[in-house]
Amino acid sequence: MARVVLQGVSRFFSDEAAAVRQIDLEVRDREFLVLVGPSGCGKSTTLRMIAGLEEPDEGEIYIGDRAVSGVPPKDRDVAMVFQNYALYPHMNVYQNMAFGLQLRYGSGLLRRLFWRLVRPAWAAELSRRQEMIDRRVRETAKSLGLDGLLERMPADLSGGERQRVALGRAIVREPAVFLFDEPLSNLDAKLRVEMRREIKQLHRRLQTTMVYVTHDQVEAMTLGERVAVMQDGQLQQVATPLELYRRPLNRFVAGFLGSPPMNFVEGELIETDGSFVFRSEGFTTPVDRMVVERVKPYAGRRLTLGVRPEHLRLVRPLVPTQEGVCPANVDAVEPLGDAVVVHLSVGAESRQAGAKVGLIAKGPADVPVRIGEPCGIAIESRDVHFFDPQSGKNVSLPGSV
Ligand code: ATP
């Protein structure tokens, strides 16, 4: 068991930009932490530095209590599972799973016979190790449903089976830390869901520290006990999935997690007679009184409103004078089966071409909306976030100003 700590870790591949910049991160002992972010944000480089496949240019990495700079991958007590499985094509499933242990503890039959003649006690130890390898491989294969496939070659396995062998090969080594680099990307959607469940169960069973890299927000949210969101080589926020979803620290995190993504609307904070409203070109909405204190400094200035599609309520039929309801026009409807996604243009002018504010709403599947129809949209002020237009910081969170 081990925690993993990154302190001020950076990696530069060229003089211009850092692939990873000043990362401070603690993965707790036995934790399942997911590193997520768009392509090229530095997730794999971070994982590879923990594995020892890359060395940091700055900072230090600790596994357990040991600083591991300069320690080769094989001595770091980590096991890595890759997207492309990296199985040995000329070895069967059993041999693939046993290979790492054979290198470390194993010995061939001839060598054991030799030691039996020269040093019987050592020969007995070698036999014991050989049995341990065999037992571990067979037990692990059984737990992964691979026990009937031990003689098969990788070419004769399905993608899901290959990924299970790759997992099995990591498990038999009983490492202190598992590192996963997009291990499910090559699988179809159904198999991905199945393997996600298996990896989660595996974590519960083994109680080992796991660091998992993905660009898929659903994978991140469903697997991670905590999720670390990266952008341009930097950590943006590390928190539980729900915390990230409900209290994103900045516009990037808010927009990255959630599907369809959060709506962002540029506007101005207006104060009249002590009460505050947010006014955009499409609509005006009151500011929740819990948030007013935090956003007050923006009175008379630009501000970005963020609201998730599921927090926009479609109101039909539209009654033009209804309080708190903005007129909108339905531009597109995407039925998902269990829900419906509706693209809207919002504002008094919304029925005319060129209306400025487009919003996406997500509602129950049975909401009867049709393209071209006018309707209303209600925004719950307590579900709204406000972001500084320059820094992107979420200024509506407690303690944000
Ligand atoms: P992806 O999801 O596409 O794998 P990532 O978030 O894992 O992306 P990295 O692979 O860590 O990103 O790459 C981060 C940045 O570092 C990218 O701009 C990439 O082009 C660059 N990079 C990675 N490895 C090297 C290398 N060996 N030499 C030069 N640049 C590299």
Side-chain angles (χ1 to χ4, degrees):
M1 305 302 155
R3 64 184 190 137
V4 177
V5 177
L6 282 76
Q7 270 178 8
V9 168
S10 301
R11 178 78 174 109
F12 304 90
F13 287 113
S14 64
D15 292 342
E16 300 120 49
V20 172
R21 187 192 305 270
Q22 286 294 317
I23 295 252
D24 289 312
L25 175 67
E26 177 181 350
V27 188
R28 300 168 189 147
D29 184 26
R30 299 165 200 231
E31 183 177 30
F32 197 132
L33 182 121
V34 177
L35 269 176
V36 70
S39 184
C41 71
K43 331 176 271 295
S44 294
T45 305
T46 305
L47 198 75
R48 290 168 61 79
M49 287 192 284
I50 299 172
L53 301 171
E54 302 272 355
E55 281 294 330
D57 293 305
E58 288 172 354
E60 187 56 90
I61 296 175
Y62 297 85
I63 297 178
D65 293 324
R66 181 168 71 129
V68 291
S69 283
V71 176
K74 67 179 178 48
D75 297 328
R76 290 193 179 198
D77 207 4
V78 301
M80 192 149 165
V81 180
F82 299 90
Q83 173 182 351
N84 58 7
Y85 323 126
L87 300 181
Y88 300 107
H90 59 288
M91 293 183 188
N92 66 23
V93 169
Y94 182 97
Q95 291 162 333
N96 261 290
M97 286 176 65
F99 185 66
L101 292 179
Q102 289 287 9
L103 275 187
R104 181 163 283 212
Y105 306 111
S107 55
L109 186 62
L110 282 178
R111 189 167 291 185
R112 290 206 300 278
L113 283 175
F114 168 78
W115 283 112
R116 191 176 292 171
L117 295 173
V118 179
R119 223 172 113 200
W122 182 235
E125 170 62 17
L126 291 180
S127 290
R128 194 190 61 73
R129 289 183 183 184
Q130 199 59 35
E131 280 163 23
M132 176 273 289
I133 294 171
D134 188 64
R135 195 180 61 247
R136 268 202 219 170
V137 170
R138 288 182 191 283
E139 279 173 7
T140 306
K142 191 156 182 229
S143 73
L144 293 169
L146 292 169
D147 39 345
L149 303 176
L150 288 172
E151 305 297 323
R152 286 254 195 108
M153 302 305 278
D156 303 327
L157 298 172
S158 71
E161 288 163 347
R162 276 181 219 160
Q163 195 49 282
R164 267 193 206 110
V165 178
L167 271 180
R169 191 176 48 181
I171 295 168
V172 293
R173 292 178 49 199
E174 298 184 352
V177 180
F178 281 93
L179 304 173
F180 296 95
D181 194 358
E182 307 241 14
L184 309 186
S185 301
N186 289 350
L187 307 180
D188 66 41
K190 186 164 173 280
L191 202 49
R192 269 211 303 273
V193 173
E194 238 169 71
M195 290 297 290
R196 270 209 312 258
R197 182 174 45 94
E198 285 186 25
I199 290 176
K200 222 167 171 169
Q201 284 170 348
L202 187 72
H203 178 249
R204 204 166 301 133
R205 185 156 52 84
L206 300 179
Q207 292 284 303
T208 310
T209 312
M210 294 186 174
V211 187
Y212 188 106
V213 158
T214 181
H215 64 272
D216 179 342
Q217 50 152 316
V218 176
E219 218 162 276
M221 300 291 272
T222 51
L223 277 175
E225 289 173 320
R226 283 191 309 153
V227 177
V229 184
M230 284 185 78
Q231 182 199 22
D232 294 338
Q234 286 180 301
L235 271 185
Q236 300 296 316
Q237 188 171 359
V238 187
T240 62
L242 266 189
E243 177 77 8
L244 286 177
Y245 193 75
R246 290 185 180 159
R247 285 178 281 276
L249 286 182
N250 59 39
R251 181 175 166 158
F252 175 79
V253 175
F256 187 74
L257 301 171
S259 177
M262 185 182 273
N263 295 288
F264 296 106
V265 182
E266 305 303 326
E268 197 179 346
L269 189 68
I270 311 275
E271 181 183 5
T272 12
D273 300 334
S275 61
F276 287 80
V277 293
F278 172 85
R279 188 165 69 200
S280 72
E281 293 188 42
F283 60 89
T284 299
T285 186
V287 177
D288 188 72
R289 59 188 173 78
M290 304 287 283
V291 172
V292 163
E293 279 308 310
R294 296 172 210 141
V295 298
K296 245 180 180 172
Y298 287 83
R301 289 163 56 196
R302 304 295 293 168
L303 203 54
T304 305
L305 174 145
V307 60
R308 294 208 181 273
E310 54 274 33
H311 293 148
L312 289 175
R313 192 165 50 82
L314 289 167
V315 182
R316 289 188 71 258
L318 171 65
V319 180
T321 52
Q322 222 169 330
E323 201 177 325
V325 175
C326 322
N329 194 57
V330 176
D331 294 336
V333 179
E334 296 171 359
L336 301 177
D338 59 338
V340 64
V341 171
V342 184
H343 295 250
L344 303 142
S345 31
V346 182
E349 305 301 314
S350 60
R351 300 197 68 186
Q352 294 167 16
K356 293 282 189 336
V357 174
L359 290 177
I360 299 179
K362 188 175 180 182
D366 54 0
V367 175
V369 281
R370 278 209 299 271
I371 297 176
E373 247 184 16
C375 70
I377 193 111
I379 302 175
E380 277 295 337
S381 61
R382 65 169 187 276
D383 291 328
V384 160
H385 296 269
F386 289 104
F387 301 92
D388 181 298
Q390 260 80 48
S391 68
K393 184 178 170 189
N394 187 343
V395 291
S396 48
L397 293 178
S400 57
V401 272

PDB file of all heavy atoms in Angstrom, residues 281-311:
ATOM      1  N   GLU A 281     -27.929  39.863 -23.632  1.00  0.00           N
ATOM      2  CA  GLU A 281     -28.703  40.296 -24.803  1.00  0.00           C
ATOM      3  C   GLU A 281     -29.953  39.451 -24.991  1.00  0.00           C
ATOM      4  O   GLU A 281     -30.874  39.838 -25.686  1.00  0.00           O
ATOM      5  CB  GLU A 281     -27.824  40.248 -26.050  1.00  0.00           C
ATOM      6  CG  GLU A 281     -26.728  41.279 -25.980  1.00  0.00           C
ATOM      7  CD  GLU A 281     -25.971  41.375 -27.284  1.00  0.00           C
ATOM      8  OE1 GLU A 281     -26.609  41.348 -28.339  1.00  0.00           O
ATOM      9  OE2 GLU A 281     -24.738  41.474 -27.226  1.00  0.00           O
ATOM     10  N   GLY A 282     -29.962  38.280 -24.347  1.00  0.00           N
ATOM     11  CA  GLY A 282     -31.119  37.407 -24.529  1.00  0.00           C
ATOM     12  C   GLY A 282     -32.134  37.494 -23.414  1.00  0.00           C
ATOM     13  O   GLY A 282     -33.330  37.358 -23.632  1.00  0.00           O
ATOM     14  N   PHE A 283     -31.675  37.700 -22.195  1.00  0.00           N
ATOM     15  CA  PHE A 283     -32.591  37.660 -21.057  1.00  0.00           C
ATOM     16  C   PHE A 283     -31.999  38.388 -19.854  1.00  0.00           C
ATOM     17  O   PHE A 283     -30.796  38.659 -19.794  1.00  0.00           O
ATOM     18  CB  PHE A 283     -32.913  36.203 -20.671  1.00  0.00           C
ATOM     19  CG  PHE A 283     -31.678  35.422 -20.274  1.00  0.00           C
ATOM     20  CD1 PHE A 283     -31.236  35.402 -18.964  1.00  0.00           C
ATOM     21  CD2 PHE A 283     -30.959  34.712 -21.237  1.00  0.00           C
ATOM     22  CE1 PHE A 283     -30.101  34.702 -18.599  1.00  0.00           C
ATOM     23  CE2 PHE A 283     -29.812  34.007 -20.883  1.00  0.00           C
ATOM     24  CZ  PHE A 283     -29.399  34.002 -19.565  1.00  0.00           C
ATOM     25  N   THR A 284     -32.882  38.654 -18.906  1.00  0.00           N
ATOM     26  CA  THR A 284     -32.467  39.243 -17.629  1.00  0.00           C
ATOM     27  C   THR A 284     -32.955  38.311 -16.532  1.00  0.00           C
ATOM     28  O   THR A 284     -34.081  37.811 -16.594  1.00  0.00           O
ATOM     29  CB  THR A 284     -33.114  40.635 -17.455  1.00  0.00           C
ATOM     30  OG1 THR A 284     -32.656  41.449 -18.534  1.00  0.00           O
ATOM     31  CG2 THR A 284     -32.721  41.285 -16.143  1.00  0.00           C
ATOM     32  N   THR A 285     -32.088  38.043 -15.544  1.00  0.00           N
ATOM     33  CA  THR A 285     -32.494  37.113 -14.494  1.00  0.00           C
ATOM     34  C   THR A 285     -31.989  37.623 -13.146  1.00  0.00           C
ATOM     35  O   THR A 285     -30.874  38.169 -13.071  1.00  0.00           O
ATOM     36  CB  THR A 285     -31.980  35.682 -14.819  1.00  0.00           C
ATOM     37  OG1 THR A 285     -32.502  34.778 -13.874  1.00  0.00           O
ATOM     38  CG2 THR A 285     -30.475  35.573 -14.824  1.00  0.00           C
ATOM     39  N   PRO A 286     -32.788  37.459 -12.082  1.00  0.00           N
ATOM     40  CA  PRO A 286     -32.320  37.945 -10.776  1.00  0.00           C
ATOM     41  C   PRO A 286     -31.160  37.109 -10.252  1.00  0.00           C
ATOM     42  O   PRO A 286     -31.034  35.937 -10.597  1.00  0.00           O
ATOM     43  CB  PRO A 286     -33.561  37.779  -9.882  1.00  0.00           C
ATOM     44  CG  PRO A 286     -34.464  36.845 -10.592  1.00  0.00           C
ATOM     45  CD  PRO A 286     -34.126  36.879 -12.041  1.00  0.00           C
ATOM     46  N   VAL A 287     -30.336  37.729  -9.414  1.00  0.00           N
ATOM     47  CA  VAL A 287     -29.206  37.012  -8.802  1.00  0.00           C
ATOM     48  C   VAL A 287     -29.649  36.504  -7.440  1.00  0.00           C
ATOM     49  O   VAL A 287     -30.232  37.266  -6.651  1.00  0.00           O
ATOM     50  CB  VAL A 287     -27.983  37.948  -8.674  1.00  0.00           C
ATOM     51  CG1 VAL A 287     -26.827  37.248  -7.974  1.00  0.00           C
ATOM     52  CG2 VAL A 287     -27.554  38.433 -10.047  1.00  0.00           C
ATOM     53  N   ASP A 288     -29.367  35.246  -7.164  1.00  0.00           N
ATOM     54  CA  ASP A 288     -29.746  34.632  -5.900  1.00  0.00           C
ATOM     55  C   ASP A 288     -29.166  35.425  -4.725  1.00  0.00           C
ATOM     56  O   ASP A 288     -28.004  35.846  -4.778  1.00  0.00           O
ATOM     57  CB  ASP A 288     -29.218  33.188  -5.888  1.00  0.00           C
ATOM     58  CG  ASP A 288     -29.737  32.414  -4.708  1.00  0.00           C
ATOM     59  OD1 ASP A 288     -30.924  32.082  -4.712  1.00  0.00           O
ATOM     60  OD2 ASP A 288     -28.946  32.176  -3.773  1.00  0.00           O
ATOM     61  N   ARG A 289     -29.968  35.587  -3.673  1.00  0.00           N
ATOM     62  CA  ARG A 289     -29.498  36.456  -2.583  1.00  0.00           C
ATOM     63  C   ARG A 289     -28.283  35.861  -1.861  1.00  0.00           C
ATOM     64  O   ARG A 289     -27.473  36.565  -1.279  1.00  0.00           O
ATOM     65  CB  ARG A 289     -30.625  36.773  -1.601  1.00  0.00           C
ATOM     66  CG  ARG A 289     -31.242  35.605  -0.959  1.00  0.00           C
ATOM     67  CD  ARG A 289     -32.468  35.949  -0.146  1.00  0.00           C
ATOM     68  NE  ARG A 289     -33.108  34.728   0.305  1.00  0.00           N
ATOM     69  CZ  ARG A 289     -32.679  34.004   1.309  1.00  0.00           C
ATOM     70  NH1 ARG A 289     -31.622  34.384   1.999  1.00  0.00           N
ATOM     71  NH2 ARG A 289     -33.304  32.885   1.651  1.00  0.00           N
ATOM     72  N   MET A 290     -28.128  34.538  -1.904  1.00  0.00           N
ATOM     73  CA  MET A 290     -26.955  33.907  -1.278  1.00  0.00           C
ATOM     74  C   MET A 290     -25.660  34.280  -2.021  1.00  0.00           C
ATOM     75  O   MET A 290     -24.572  34.217  -1.468  1.00  0.00           O
ATOM     76  CB  MET A 290     -27.077  32.374  -1.323  1.00  0.00           C
ATOM     77  CG  MET A 290     -28.323  31.808  -0.692  1.00  0.00           C
ATOM     78  SD  MET A 290     -28.239  31.930   1.096  1.00  0.00           S
ATOM     79  CE  MET A 290     -27.136  30.577   1.446  1.00  0.00           C
ATOM     80  N   VAL A 291     -25.817  34.624  -3.292  1.00  0.00           N
ATOM     81  CA  VAL A 291     -24.646  34.855  -4.140  1.00  0.00           C
ATOM     82  C   VAL A 291     -24.313  36.349  -4.252  1.00  0.00           C
ATOM     83  O   VAL A 291     -23.175  36.729  -4.532  1.00  0.00           O
ATOM     84  CB  VAL A 291     -24.910  34.230  -5.539  1.00  0.00           C
ATOM     85  CG1 VAL A 291     -23.834  34.601  -6.542  1.00  0.00           C
ATOM     86  CG2 VAL A 291     -25.040  32.730  -5.434  1.00  0.00           C
ATOM     87  N   VAL A 292     -25.327  37.185  -3.960  1.00  0.00           N
ATOM     88  CA  VAL A 292     -25.171  38.625  -4.187  1.00  0.00           C
ATOM     89  C   VAL A 292     -23.900  39.170  -3.532  1.00  0.00           C
ATOM     90  O   VAL A 292     -23.113  39.876  -4.177  1.00  0.00           O
ATOM     91  CB  VAL A 292     -26.415  39.379  -3.681  1.00  0.00           C
ATOM     92  CG1 VAL A 292     -26.117  40.859  -3.523  1.00  0.00           C
ATOM     93  CG2 VAL A 292     -27.564  39.194  -4.656  1.00  0.00           C
ATOM     94  N   GLU A 293     -23.661  38.806  -2.264  1.00  0.00           N
ATOM     95  CA  GLU A 293     -22.502  39.341  -1.547  1.00  0.00           C
ATOM     96  C   GLU A 293     -21.199  39.063  -2.292  1.00  0.00           C
ATOM     97  O   GLU A 293     -20.288  39.885  -2.309  1.00  0.00           O
ATOM     98  CB  GLU A 293     -22.422  38.732  -0.139  1.00  0.00           C
ATOM     99  CG  GLU A 293     -23.330  39.395   0.882  1.00  0.00           C
ATOM    100  CD  GLU A 293     -23.153  40.920   0.924  1.00  0.00           C
ATOM    101  OE1 GLU A 293     -21.998  41.367   1.018  1.00  0.00           O
ATOM    102  OE2 GLU A 293     -24.176  41.639   0.841  1.00  0.00           O
ATOM    103  N   ARG A 294     -21.152  37.870  -2.906  1.00  0.00           N
ATOM    104  CA  ARG A 294     -19.898  37.469  -3.564  1.00  0.00           C
ATOM    105  C   ARG A 294     -19.705  38.162  -4.909  1.00  0.00           C
ATOM    106  O   ARG A 294     -18.572  38.424  -5.308  1.00  0.00           O
ATOM    107  CB  ARG A 294     -19.885  35.940  -3.778  1.00  0.00           C
ATOM    108  CG  ARG A 294     -19.899  35.192  -2.473  1.00  0.00           C
ATOM    109  CD  ARG A 294     -20.088  33.704  -2.689  1.00  0.00           C
ATOM    110  NE  ARG A 294     -20.769  33.155  -1.539  1.00  0.00           N
ATOM    111  CZ  ARG A 294     -21.704  32.234  -1.576  1.00  0.00           C
ATOM    112  NH1 ARG A 294     -22.075  31.712  -2.731  1.00  0.00           N
ATOM    113  NH2 ARG A 294     -22.272  31.808  -0.471  1.00  0.00           N
ATOM    114  N   VAL A 295     -20.818  38.434  -5.620  1.00  0.00           N
ATOM    115  CA  VAL A 295     -20.637  39.009  -6.963  1.00  0.00           C
ATOM    116  C   VAL A 295     -20.790  40.533  -6.992  1.00  0.00           C
ATOM    117  O   VAL A 295     -20.519  41.155  -8.012  1.00  0.00           O
ATOM    118  CB  VAL A 295     -21.603  38.359  -8.005  1.00  0.00           C
ATOM    119  CG1 VAL A 295     -21.314  36.879  -8.144  1.00  0.00           C
ATOM    120  CG2 VAL A 295     -23.047  38.592  -7.650  1.00  0.00           C
ATOM    121  N   LYS A 296     -21.172  41.092  -5.842  1.00  0.00           N
ATOM    122  CA  LYS A 296     -21.371  42.551  -5.744  1.00  0.00           C
ATOM    123  C   LYS A 296     -20.259  43.391  -6.376  1.00  0.00           C
ATOM    124  O   LYS A 296     -20.523  44.372  -7.074  1.00  0.00           O
ATOM    125  CB  LYS A 296     -21.455  42.935  -4.258  1.00  0.00           C
ATOM    126  CG  LYS A 296     -22.793  43.469  -3.840  1.00  0.00           C
ATOM    127  CD  LYS A 296     -22.687  43.781  -2.373  1.00  0.00           C
ATOM    128  CE  LYS A 296     -23.958  44.331  -1.812  1.00  0.00           C
ATOM    129  NZ  LYS A 296     -23.869  44.442  -0.361  1.00  0.00           N
ATOM    130  N   PRO A 297     -18.979  43.002  -6.135  1.00  0.00           N
ATOM    131  CA  PRO A 297     -17.906  43.833  -6.708  1.00  0.00           C
ATOM    132  C   PRO A 297     -17.989  43.955  -8.226  1.00  0.00           C
ATOM    133  O   PRO A 297     -17.321  44.807  -8.812  1.00  0.00           O
ATOM    134  CB  PRO A 297     -16.628  43.073  -6.304  1.00  0.00           C
ATOM    135  CG  PRO A 297     -17.033  42.202  -5.163  1.00  0.00           C
ATOM    136  CD  PRO A 297     -18.472  41.896  -5.332  1.00  0.00           C
ATOM    137  N   TYR A 298     -18.784  43.105  -8.874  1.00  0.00           N
ATOM    138  CA  TYR A 298     -18.888  43.157 -10.343  1.00  0.00           C
ATOM    139  C   TYR A 298     -20.029  44.080 -10.803  1.00  0.00           C
ATOM    140  O   TYR A 298     -20.307  44.156 -12.000  1.00  0.00           O
ATOM    141  CB  TYR A 298     -19.101  41.752 -10.922  1.00  0.00           C
ATOM    142  CG  TYR A 298     -17.840  40.919 -10.861  1.00  0.00           C
ATOM    143  CD1 TYR A 298     -17.492  40.244  -9.701  1.00  0.00           C
ATOM    144  CD2 TYR A 298     -16.981  40.837 -11.962  1.00  0.00           C
ATOM    145  CE1 TYR A 298     -16.327  39.495  -9.627  1.00  0.00           C
ATOM    146  CE2 TYR A 298     -15.816  40.096 -11.903  1.00  0.00           C
ATOM    147  CZ  TYR A 298     -15.498  39.432 -10.729  1.00  0.00           C
ATOM    148  OH  TYR A 298     -14.338  38.710 -10.661  1.00  0.00           O
ATOM    149  N   ALA A 299     -20.695  44.777  -9.879  1.00  0.00           N
ATOM    150  CA  ALA A 299     -21.824  45.640 -10.271  1.00  0.00           C
ATOM    151  C   ALA A 299     -21.375  46.620 -11.341  1.00  0.00           C
ATOM    152  O   ALA A 299     -20.317  47.265 -11.212  1.00  0.00           O
ATOM    153  CB  ALA A 299     -22.351  46.380  -9.047  1.00  0.00           C
ATOM    154  N   GLY A 300     -22.136  46.698 -12.417  1.00  0.00           N
ATOM    155  CA  GLY A 300     -21.808  47.605 -13.516  1.00  0.00           C
ATOM    156  C   GLY A 300     -20.726  47.054 -14.433  1.00  0.00           C
ATOM    157  O   GLY A 300     -20.280  47.749 -15.342  1.00  0.00           O
ATOM    158  N   ARG A 301     -20.281  45.824 -14.180  1.00  0.00           N
ATOM    159  CA  ARG A 301     -19.190  45.252 -15.006  1.00  0.00           C
ATOM    160  C   ARG A 301     -19.648  43.985 -15.709  1.00  0.00           C
ATOM    161  O   ARG A 301     -20.690  43.411 -15.399  1.00  0.00           O
ATOM    162  CB  ARG A 301     -17.990  44.926 -14.113  1.00  0.00           C
ATOM    163  CG  ARG A 301     -17.269  46.161 -13.602  1.00  0.00           C
ATOM    164  CD  ARG A 301     -16.372  45.830 -12.429  1.00  0.00           C
ATOM    165  NE  ARG A 301     -15.414  44.784 -12.722  1.00  0.00           N
ATOM    166  CZ  ARG A 301     -14.741  44.124 -11.800  1.00  0.00           C
ATOM    167  NH1 ARG A 301     -14.906  44.394 -10.524  1.00  0.00           N
ATOM    168  NH2 ARG A 301     -13.878  43.192 -12.127  1.00  0.00           N
ATOM    169  N   ARG A 302     -18.811  43.526 -16.654  1.00  0.00           N
ATOM    170  CA  ARG A 302     -19.124  42.308 -17.385  1.00  0.00           C
ATOM    171  C   ARG A 302     -18.962  41.094 -16.478  1.00  0.00           C
ATOM    172  O   ARG A 302     -18.110  41.060 -15.575  1.00  0.00           O
ATOM    173  CB  ARG A 302     -18.182  42.130 -18.588  1.00  0.00           C
ATOM    174  CG  ARG A 302     -18.148  43.268 -19.544  1.00  0.00           C
ATOM    175  CD  ARG A 302     -19.438  43.497 -20.261  1.00  0.00           C
ATOM    176  NE  ARG A 302     -19.802  42.418 -21.190  1.00  0.00           N
ATOM    177  CZ  ARG A 302     -20.990  42.306 -21.751  1.00  0.00           C
ATOM    178  NH1 ARG A 302     -21.949  43.178 -21.463  1.00  0.00           N
ATOM    179  NH2 ARG A 302     -21.243  41.327 -22.585  1.00  0.00           N
ATOM    180  N   LEU A 303     -19.777  40.088 -16.741  1.00  0.00           N
ATOM    181  CA  LEU A 303     -19.748  38.861 -15.952  1.00  0.00           C
ATOM    182  C   LEU A 303     -20.239  37.737 -16.868  1.00  0.00           C
ATOM    183  O   LEU A 303     -20.998  37.991 -17.811  1.00  0.00           O
ATOM    184  CB  LEU A 303     -20.704  39.038 -14.765  1.00  0.00           C
ATOM    185  CG  LEU A 303     -20.513  38.194 -13.510  1.00  0.00           C
ATOM    186  CD1 LEU A 303     -19.096  38.304 -12.971  1.00  0.00           C
ATOM    187  CD2 LEU A 303     -21.507  38.621 -12.427  1.00  0.00           C
ATOM    188  N   THR A 304     -19.808  36.524 -16.610  1.00  0.00           N
ATOM    189  CA  THR A 304     -20.284  35.390 -17.421  1.00  0.00           C
ATOM    190  C   THR A 304     -21.180  34.518 -16.559  1.00  0.00           C
ATOM    191  O   THR A 304     -20.769  34.093 -15.472  1.00  0.00           O
ATOM    192  CB  THR A 304     -19.089  34.549 -17.937  1.00  0.00           C
ATOM    193  OG1 THR A 304     -18.199  35.414 -18.630  1.00  0.00           O
ATOM    194  CG2 THR A 304     -19.554  33.436 -18.858  1.00  0.00           C
ATOM    195  N   LEU A 305     -22.381  34.269 -17.042  1.00  0.00           N
ATOM    196  CA  LEU A 305     -23.298  33.391 -16.313  1.00  0.00           C
ATOM    197  C   LEU A 305     -23.133  31.976 -16.860  1.00  0.00           C
ATOM    198  O   LEU A 305     -22.975  31.770 -18.062  1.00  0.00           O
ATOM    199  CB  LEU A 305     -24.731  33.876 -16.531  1.00  0.00           C
ATOM    200  CG  LEU A 305     -25.873  33.030 -15.971  1.00  0.00           C
ATOM    201  CD1 LEU A 305     -27.008  33.933 -15.497  1.00  0.00           C
ATOM    202  CD2 LEU A 305     -26.431  32.027 -16.983  1.00  0.00           C
ATOM    203  N   GLY A 306     -23.143  30.997 -15.963  1.00  0.00           N
ATOM    204  CA  GLY A 306     -23.083  29.585 -16.369  1.00  0.00           C
ATOM    205  C   GLY A 306     -24.273  28.837 -15.807  1.00  0.00           C
ATOM    206  O   GLY A 306     -24.582  28.967 -14.622  1.00  0.00           O
ATOM    207  N   VAL A 307     -24.945  28.084 -16.669  1.00  0.00           N
ATOM    208  CA  VAL A 307     -26.077  27.279 -16.174  1.00  0.00           C
ATOM    209  C   VAL A 307     -26.096  25.959 -16.943  1.00  0.00           C
ATOM    210  O   VAL A 307     -25.904  25.916 -18.161  1.00  0.00           O
ATOM    211  CB  VAL A 307     -27.420  28.057 -16.287  1.00  0.00           C
ATOM    212  CG1 VAL A 307     -27.754  28.434 -17.721  1.00  0.00           C
ATOM    213  CG2 VAL A 307     -28.569  27.260 -15.669  1.00  0.00           C
ATOM    214  N   ARG A 308     -26.283  24.874 -16.194  1.00  0.00           N
ATOM    215  CA  ARG A 308     -26.278  23.550 -16.828  1.00  0.00           C
ATOM    216  C   ARG A 308     -27.602  23.314 -17.565  1.00  0.00           C
ATOM    217  O   ARG A 308     -28.664  23.775 -17.100  1.00  0.00           O
ATOM    218  CB  ARG A 308     -26.081  22.460 -15.777  1.00  0.00           C
ATOM    219  CG  ARG A 308     -24.718  22.541 -15.131  1.00  0.00           C
ATOM    220  CD  ARG A 308     -24.234  21.203 -14.632  1.00  0.00           C
ATOM    221  NE  ARG A 308     -22.924  21.335 -13.998  1.00  0.00           N
ATOM    222  CZ  ARG A 308     -21.770  21.264 -14.666  1.00  0.00           C
ATOM    223  NH1 ARG A 308     -21.767  21.061 -15.962  1.00  0.00           N
ATOM    224  NH2 ARG A 308     -20.632  21.394 -14.021  1.00  0.00           N
ATOM    225  N   PRO A 309     -27.552  22.582 -18.685  1.00  0.00           N
ATOM    226  CA  PRO A 309     -28.762  22.323 -19.477  1.00  0.00           C
ATOM    227  C   PRO A 309     -29.896  21.716 -18.639  1.00  0.00           C
ATOM    228  O   PRO A 309     -31.057  22.042 -18.842  1.00  0.00           O
ATOM    229  CB  PRO A 309     -28.284  21.332 -20.541  1.00  0.00           C
ATOM    230  CG  PRO A 309     -26.838  21.650 -20.705  1.00  0.00           C
ATOM    231  CD  PRO A 309     -26.348  22.031 -19.336  1.00  0.00           C
ATOM    232  N   GLU A 310     -29.554  20.876 -17.672  1.00  0.00           N
ATOM    233  CA  GLU A 310     -30.610  20.228 -16.878  1.00  0.00           C
ATOM    234  C   GLU A 310     -31.233  21.186 -15.862  1.00  0.00           C
ATOM    235  O   GLU A 310     -32.221  20.856 -15.213  1.00  0.00           O
ATOM    236  CB  GLU A 310     -30.100  18.949 -16.193  1.00  0.00           C
ATOM    237  CG  GLU A 310     -28.861  19.103 -15.328  1.00  0.00           C
ATOM    238  CD  GLU A 310     -27.572  18.976 -16.124  1.00  0.00           C
ATOM    239  OE1 GLU A 310     -27.553  19.374 -17.306  1.00  0.00           O
ATOM    240  OE2 GLU A 310     -26.580  18.508 -15.546  1.00  0.00           O
ATOM    241  N   HIS A 311     -30.628  22.365 -15.699  1.00  0.00           N
ATOM    242  CA  HIS A 311     -31.191  23.349 -14.779  1.00  0.00           C
ATOM    243  C   HIS A 311     -32.017  24.425 -15.489  1.00  0.00           C
ATOM    244  O   HIS A 311     -32.469  25.372 -14.869  1.00  0.00           O
ATOM    245  CB  HIS A 311     -30.071  24.002 -13.952  1.00  0.00           C
ATOM    246  CG  HIS A 311     -29.423  23.030 -13.016  1.00  0.00           C
ATOM    247  ND1 HIS A 311     -28.109  23.099 -12.656  1.00  0.00           N
ATOM    248  CD2 HIS A 311     -29.929  21.929 -12.395  1.00  0.00           C
ATOM    249  CE1 HIS A 311     -27.818  22.098 -11.843  1.00  0.00           C
ATOM    250  NE2 HIS A 311     -28.908  21.375 -11.674  1.00  0.00           N
TER     251      HIS A 311
END
